[in-house]
Amino acid sequence: MKKILITGGAGYIGSHTAVELWNAGLEPIILDDLSNSHAQVLERLKDITGKSFSFYMGDCNNRVVLDQISREHEIAGVIHFAAFKAVGESTIKPLDYYKNNLGSLLVLLEYMREKGIRDLVFSSSCTVYGQPDVLPVTEVTPRKDAESPYGNTKKIGEDILVDYVKSKPGIRVVALRYFNPVGAHPSAKIGELPMGTPQNLVPFITQTAAGIRQKLTVFGNDYDTPDGSCIRDYIHVVDLADAHVKALGFLFQKPLDFYEVFNVGTGRGNTVLEVIHAFEKVNGLKLAYQIGPRRAGDVVKTWADTRKINQELGWHAKYTLDDCMRDSWRWQLSLGERKGIFE
Ligand code: NAD
Ligand code: UD1
């Protein structure tokens, strides 16, 4: 069984990917410093899969722990999730973001070179496109200047990988540009643990429905969209996890010194009001919400052209927006009024 190192594997997307790797016959080896996750996620992974996972508690910037992993396992490929991801915080602590998100990538690439590990899947984001001029967004849509240090770490991360692969180091890389990951594992055993007050729409919806927040504010209903609220492409986290498995299988077949980028979305755009109404309908609830002013710097509308990932990876999103809303709510219910799994 091939072993895949997952940096940030205790986090939201990493934990779901660990499950999908197991389901596909690949063994995940998890490295996480738990800066934004909890060790008990490992217990939850065991509950879901019936398997014990190798877990290393450590910083991906630290070669000592990476070397230890390679002494104990033969690593066939890496999925690099480890990063800080709070857009607002990145404007206050830009150096922390550049150091963690880019430093970890550089350390990882050196480690891979020395150990002869060839395959890497990198977590990028649709944030690199900013507000696209043409929709849907294809992979050749020009990237825009980043709106935040966080967004810039994704853009620069991609640039580092492109330059590195050009130098013919004998590796193969896929960068996945995620649209808006939402939902949770249908078992409701793992999901997203937002830090403090959620800034993202879906955790704010579920916390409002749970009574943790009083009211959701819709940031603007006077945009040039069918109902005036902004449009995004919401992708279920289990579908997203599966895209990583498919990306690895794709890489294993490719010649060395290969770099490719894929959008990961559903190809469908939904407005904020559509998301709210889907949540209400599928869960039989009424959500307390109000229309408020626009959020500064918001992208008005974006959704993915998914033809490339459909054709080249054979990947298709299976879950619907209703599934996303059902699973997000079940995850929230499993948390009760707690903000974290074990708080
Ligand atoms: P997350 O915070 O839930 O997971 C990241 C994990 O990495 C956490 O468990 C954290 O403890 C760990 N970590 C951070 N720095 C580390 C380090 N130096 N060493 C070891 N572990 C470290 O975030 P997520 O939502 O699962 O995101 C995963 C990746 O996907 C990130 O790179 C993120 O930027 C990217 N991404 C996320 C979204 C999103 O909306 N969630 C969208 C686009 C891209
Ligand atoms: C945010 C990040 C982006 C990241 C993406 C995926 C910012 C500026 N950008 O983008 O870098 O890649 O998440 O995680 O934070 N909304 C409300 N009320 C709320 C919260 C959100 O109406 O309380 C609306 C927003 O205006 C937006 C939509 O919901 O139209 C989605 O917002 P959000 O979840 O923050 O994601 P993005 O804006 O796509």
Side-chain angles (χ1 to χ4, degrees):
M1 190 180 252
K2 280 195 167 114
K3 295 185 179 187
I4 307 299
L5 173 62
I6 319 186
T7 75
Y12 174 43
I13 305 168
S15 58
H16 290 81
T17 302
V19 173
E20 296 312 307
L21 284 174
W22 263 118
N23 291 342
L26 295 163
E27 181 180 343
I29 309 293
I30 296 178
L31 167 65
D32 201 301
D33 64 3
L34 303 182
S35 54
N36 194 38
S37 50
H38 201 290
Q40 298 231 14
V41 167
L42 278 304
E43 295 304 314
R44 300 297 183 92
L45 291 178
K46 195 173 172 187
D47 288 349
I48 294 170
T49 62
K51 308 282 182 193
S52 288
F53 285 68
S54 298
F55 171 62
Y56 292 81
M57 155 91 186
D59 185 341
C60 184
N61 289 281
N62 180 355
R63 263 307 289 271
V64 176
V65 64
L66 290 169
D67 289 341
Q68 185 194 345
I69 291 171
S70 270
R71 275 196 304 278
E72 294 170 11
H73 303 276
E74 190 182 332
I75 300 296
V78 180
I79 308 180
H80 183 42
F81 292 108
F84 295 151
K85 64 164 182 177
V87 176
E89 185 186 61
S90 79
T91 63
I92 299 162
K93 300 177 177 172
L95 295 187
D96 290 0
Y97 274 68
Y98 285 115
K99 190 171 173 196
N100 195 41
N101 295 7
L102 297 178
S104 63
L105 178 62
L106 296 175
V107 170
L108 201 59
L109 289 173
E110 283 178 353
Y111 158 75
M112 289 176 66
R113 183 179 58 200
E114 283 173 35
K115 304 295 177 197
I117 302 168
R118 290 171 164 173
D119 295 296
L120 174 67
V121 180
F122 174 69
S123 294
S124 190
S125 169
C126 71
T127 194
V128 300
Y129 299 118
Q131 174 60 66
D133 298 325
V134 180
L135 288 163
V137 188
T138 70
E139 289 80 356
V140 295
T141 297
R143 298 179 313 162
K144 297 245 166 109
D145 286 346
E147 291 279 342
S148 69
Y150 165 74
N152 215 18
T153 66
K154 293 299 169 193
K155 203 166 167 231
I156 298 171
E158 289 188 359
D159 292 342
I160 289 171
L161 291 167
V162 169
D163 286 345
Y164 185 50
V165 169
K166 274 188 201 156
S167 76
K168 303 208 180 304
I171 67 166
R172 304 177 277 226
V173 181
V174 158
L176 296 179
R177 292 179 179 154
Y178 314 155
F179 278 67
N180 287 59
V182 294
H185 196 267
S187 66
K189 289 184 189 295
I190 52 172
E192 186 173 13
L193 294 173
M195 293 179 283
T197 306
Q199 304 302 311
N200 292 118
L201 177 64
V202 174
F204 207 105
I205 288 178
T206 59
Q207 288 197 6
T208 304
I212 299 166
R213 313 278 156 210
Q214 268 194 329
K215 204 176 259 187
L216 170 82
T217 299
V218 176
F219 297 143
N221 70 344
D222 56 354
Y223 288 108
D224 176 23
T225 63
D227 62 26
S229 62
C230 295
I231 297 179
R232 297 289 185 276
D233 185 334
Y234 295 93
I235 170 84
H236 195 290
V237 66
V238 174
D239 275 334
L240 177 56
D242 180 46
H244 294 78
V245 177
K246 298 272 195 311
L248 277 173
F250 169 82
L251 280 178
F252 293 152
Q253 310 298 322
K254 290 290 163 189
L256 295 178
D257 303 317
F258 176 87
Y259 175 86
E260 197 60 87
V261 54
F262 293 99
N263 288 338
V264 197
T266 64
R268 194 181 54 227
N270 286 105
T271 67
V272 176
L273 290 168
E274 283 169 353
V275 173
I276 292 171
H277 295 143
F279 178 84
E280 292 183 323
K281 182 195 71 181
V282 75
N283 297 309
L285 294 165
K286 271 279 164 220
L287 192 75
Y289 70 90
Q290 62 190 5
I291 306 297
R294 294 177 172 196
R295 178 169 73 175
D298 234 337
V299 166
V300 179
K301 41 188 165 181
T302 186
W303 65 92
D305 185 321
T306 60
R307 279 175 298 177
K308 185 174 172 189
I309 190 166
N310 296 159
Q311 286 163 13
E312 294 189 30
L313 297 196
W315 173 93
H316 294 85
K318 298 188 186 82
Y319 290 84
T320 63
L321 181 64
D322 284 357
D323 296 330
C324 293
M325 294 300 114
R326 180 203 61 214
D327 291 338
S328 296
W329 180 233
R330 288 172 67 178
W331 167 240
Q332 182 68 56
L333 285 176
S334 82
L335 296 174
E337 294 202 350
R338 295 162 299 165
K339 294 179 192 70
I341 305 185
F342 308 104
E343 283 171 29

